[in-house]
Amino acid sequence: MGYTDLSTPIRTIMTPGPVEADPRVLRAMSTPIIGQFDPEFLKVMNETMDLLRYSFQTNNHRTFPVDGTSRAGIEAVLCSIIEPGDKVLIPIFGRFGYLLTEIASRCGADVHTIEKDWGEVFDPEEVKAEMKEVNPKVVAMVHGETSTGKMQPLKEIGQFCREQDALFVVDAVATLGGVEFKTDEWYIDAAIAGTQKCLAVPSGMAPLTYNDRVEKLILERKDIERGLADDSDNDRRIQSNYFDLSQIQDYWTPDRLNHHTEATSMLYALREGLRIIQDEGIEKRSERHQFHGEALAAGLRAMGLELFGGEENKMPVVTVIKVPEGIDEAQVRQTLINEFSVEIAGAFGPLKGNVVRIGSMGYSCRKSNILQTLGALEATLLYHGAEVNCGAASQAALKFYAENA
């Protein structure tokens, strides 16, 4: 049986990730492949590191991507700094706090958790009090929890971690490039992002950054594989070869250690996505995400829908709404994608079936997408028998845009 050329449908992707890739990023991915030690490719690597420092708002020397999805970056950081028996504190307020717990436990950590109901975030004093009890080596937290649409304030926690000499690791997968994120100012020792959300790049790389405090620990565990170095034997070596930051970081230095073959086209994509962020300006980009997020929320409220968890600590780039009573959210999402080519997301865990999640990230975060999503969602809810305020959503969003242009 023969197959035709690949022809994927055009979608308006309004999920919390992946999102629509910027056309300039897709164009960059089509440029020719060159060798991973070609001088021109090494130049691309160096430029990518500089652009990442800008997006992370950091002066960290160690700032580069790991090949793999955002989860690969989280695993690379945690398995490179956690040794069996290390105390790790993980405050959980949604699904991805559980992911941090999963990975830390696989590293042999002595994991301590505190939890909030989904839809809430932590008062920094709660985290500080638990730190005094546990005395952890590492505190790992999610910044923007896409499962709940909530964003955790970080600066006060980061400052306390520094005072207590604990390493502060932050999952910034859903926030970097879309909301304010200040690695150095917030005392973050290591942060991990993803390409497929606010960076508007296809999934496949995990940008990360870490400071000298983290690098010191990583170097203590350094063990170069045989064939690349002689007499390298460290009984504290990092559990993973692929995610061994002590080796990967050397590929991003003039030493250019041949740890693995770089994902050429993905690096082109990441560099272009980061260049677009720099061109837009990191502050203006955050303002754009906030602006369109507010327009979306205004339209949803006017439609008669209730935002899950209220407005406090809401992520500007993810809006979670309660499903009207008697409505099957899976059918709503299916109609949206089948009839309007608009994709939104369902939920996880205790929220599954009760809410839907709308992302407004990166290239997907623009006026035409907001208005199209509101119109399509209203028509779909009416079709499935929900009682909504007909026409009010688009009008409210249009009014918001007109008054705040």
Side-chain angles (χ1 to χ4, degrees):
M1 178 181 176
Y3 293 94
T4 61
D5 291 345
L6 184 65
S7 179
T8 55
I10 303 298
R11 303 289 195 203
T12 299
I13 307 179
M14 300 296 284
T15 73
V19 302
E20 298 170 26
D22 192 295
R24 291 168 287 183
V25 168
L26 296 177
R27 187 163 60 241
M29 295 184 76
S30 68
T31 55
I33 301 297
I34 54 179
Q36 64 171 334
F37 297 110
D38 186 303
E40 288 301 312
F41 190 72
L42 300 181
K43 178 183 175 183
V44 172
M45 293 174 67
N46 291 338
E47 291 172 349
T48 302
M49 287 189 285
D50 283 341
L51 290 164
L52 274 174
R53 291 185 189 102
Y54 174 74
S55 289
F56 274 114
Q57 295 288 279
T58 185
N59 292 314
N60 290 343
H61 178 61
R62 301 301 187 186
T63 305
F64 53 87
V66 168
D67 292 338
T69 62
S70 46
R71 186 176 299 220
I74 296 170
E75 189 151 350
V77 169
L78 292 182
C79 79
S80 292
I81 64 175
I82 295 174
E83 298 178 71
D86 283 345
K87 290 183 178 180
V88 177
L89 174 62
I90 303 175
I92 300 169
F93 60 105
R95 177 196 168 185
F96 294 100
Y98 292 121
L99 174 61
L100 296 175
T101 304
E102 160 84 9
I103 295 172
S105 65
R106 284 175 181 256
C107 295
D110 177 9
V111 179
H112 298 257
T113 63
I114 51 176
E115 297 193 35
K116 279 289 191 183
D117 290 339
W118 288 30
E120 299 179 9
V121 300
F122 288 92
D123 184 313
E125 293 301 323
E126 295 177 285
V127 179
K128 290 159 69 173
E130 191 68 17
M131 285 183 64
K132 292 174 183 177
E133 290 290 326
V134 174
N135 190 29
K137 172 183 174 179
V138 178
V139 176
M141 288 194 79
V142 175
H143 182 212
E145 182 57 81
T146 56
S147 65
T148 67
K150 293 299 179 180
M151 191 161 64
Q152 174 67 49
L154 295 175
K155 184 175 182 179
E156 189 175 340
I157 297 171
Q159 185 172 6
F160 191 73
C161 285
R162 191 63 54 88
E163 292 170 1
Q164 299 296 307
D165 197 30
L167 295 175
F168 191 34
V169 177
V170 174
D171 170 348
V173 171
T175 51
L176 188 76
V179 305
E180 181 182 66
F181 190 86
K182 296 182 180 293
T183 302
D184 294 352
E185 186 178 320
W186 295 349
Y187 305 94
I188 296 169
D189 293 295
I192 307 98
T195 51
Q196 75 278 14
K197 297 182 186 282
C198 295
L199 301 188
V201 173
S203 176
M205 275 191 164
L208 52 82
T209 185
Y210 52 91
N211 60 19
D212 292 343
R213 284 158 46 87
V214 171
E215 184 178 11
K216 178 179 181 295
L217 177 56
I218 289 173
L219 290 178
E220 290 173 0
R221 305 185 67 194
K222 188 170 185 175
D223 186 275
I224 304 298
E225 62 195 68
R226 293 184 63 183
L228 296 177
D230 297 326
D231 301 320
S232 182
D233 185 18
N234 189 335
D235 58 9
R236 294 175 59 196
R237 71 176 181 176
I238 293 162
Q239 298 96 321
S240 171
N241 174 282
Y242 188 77
F243 295 133
D244 183 343
L245 291 180
S246 73
Q247 295 190 72
I248 296 173
Q249 69 177 19
D250 283 351
Y251 178 53
W252 292 85
T253 69
D255 292 341
R256 303 299 180 186
L257 179 76
N258 185 24
H259 178 262
H260 66 277
T261 302
E262 190 52 55
T264 310
S265 296
M266 272 304 305
L267 190 65
Y268 295 162
L270 177 57
R271 180 201 174 276
E272 182 65 5
L274 295 169
R275 185 198 66 78
I276 292 167
I277 291 175
Q278 186 185 64
D279 187 57
E280 183 177 4
I282 196 72
E283 292 84 7
K284 288 185 177 180
R285 191 175 180 91
S286 295
E287 290 169 3
R288 171 169 65 85
H289 282 84
Q290 181 72 38
F291 177 65
H292 291 298
E294 289 179 5
L296 174 63
L300 293 168
R301 284 193 299 266
M303 197 188 304
L305 300 176
E306 183 180 352
L307 272 60
F308 171 74
E311 298 286 348
E312 190 174 6
N313 296 307
K314 179 190 176 300
M315 291 179 71
V317 296
V318 179
T319 302
V320 182
I321 53 175
K322 293 183 179 180
V323 178
E325 189 174 350
I327 301 301
D328 185 329
E329 61 86 18
Q331 290 183 359
V332 169
R333 290 188 292 111
Q334 185 175 359
T335 299
L336 274 172
I337 199 166
N338 289 346
E339 306 300 331
F340 296 95
S341 281
V342 173
E343 184 181 5
I344 64 174
F348 308 108
L351 300 182
K352 185 176 178 61
N354 299 314
V355 303
V356 291
R357 301 175 300 138
I358 303 175
S360 48
M361 296 174 161
Y363 187 70
S364 290
C365 181
R366 58 190 196 272
K367 181 179 179 180
S368 59
N369 276 24
I370 299 297
L371 294 174
Q372 183 180 355
T373 300
L374 288 170
L377 181 59
E378 178 190 294
T380 299
L381 287 172
L382 284 168
Y383 177 76
H384 286 285
E387 294 184 5
V388 298
N389 301 320
C390 295
S394 296
Q395 292 305 309
L398 285 168
K399 181 180 179 182
F400 176 89
Y401 283 125
E403 293 179 348
N404 296 279

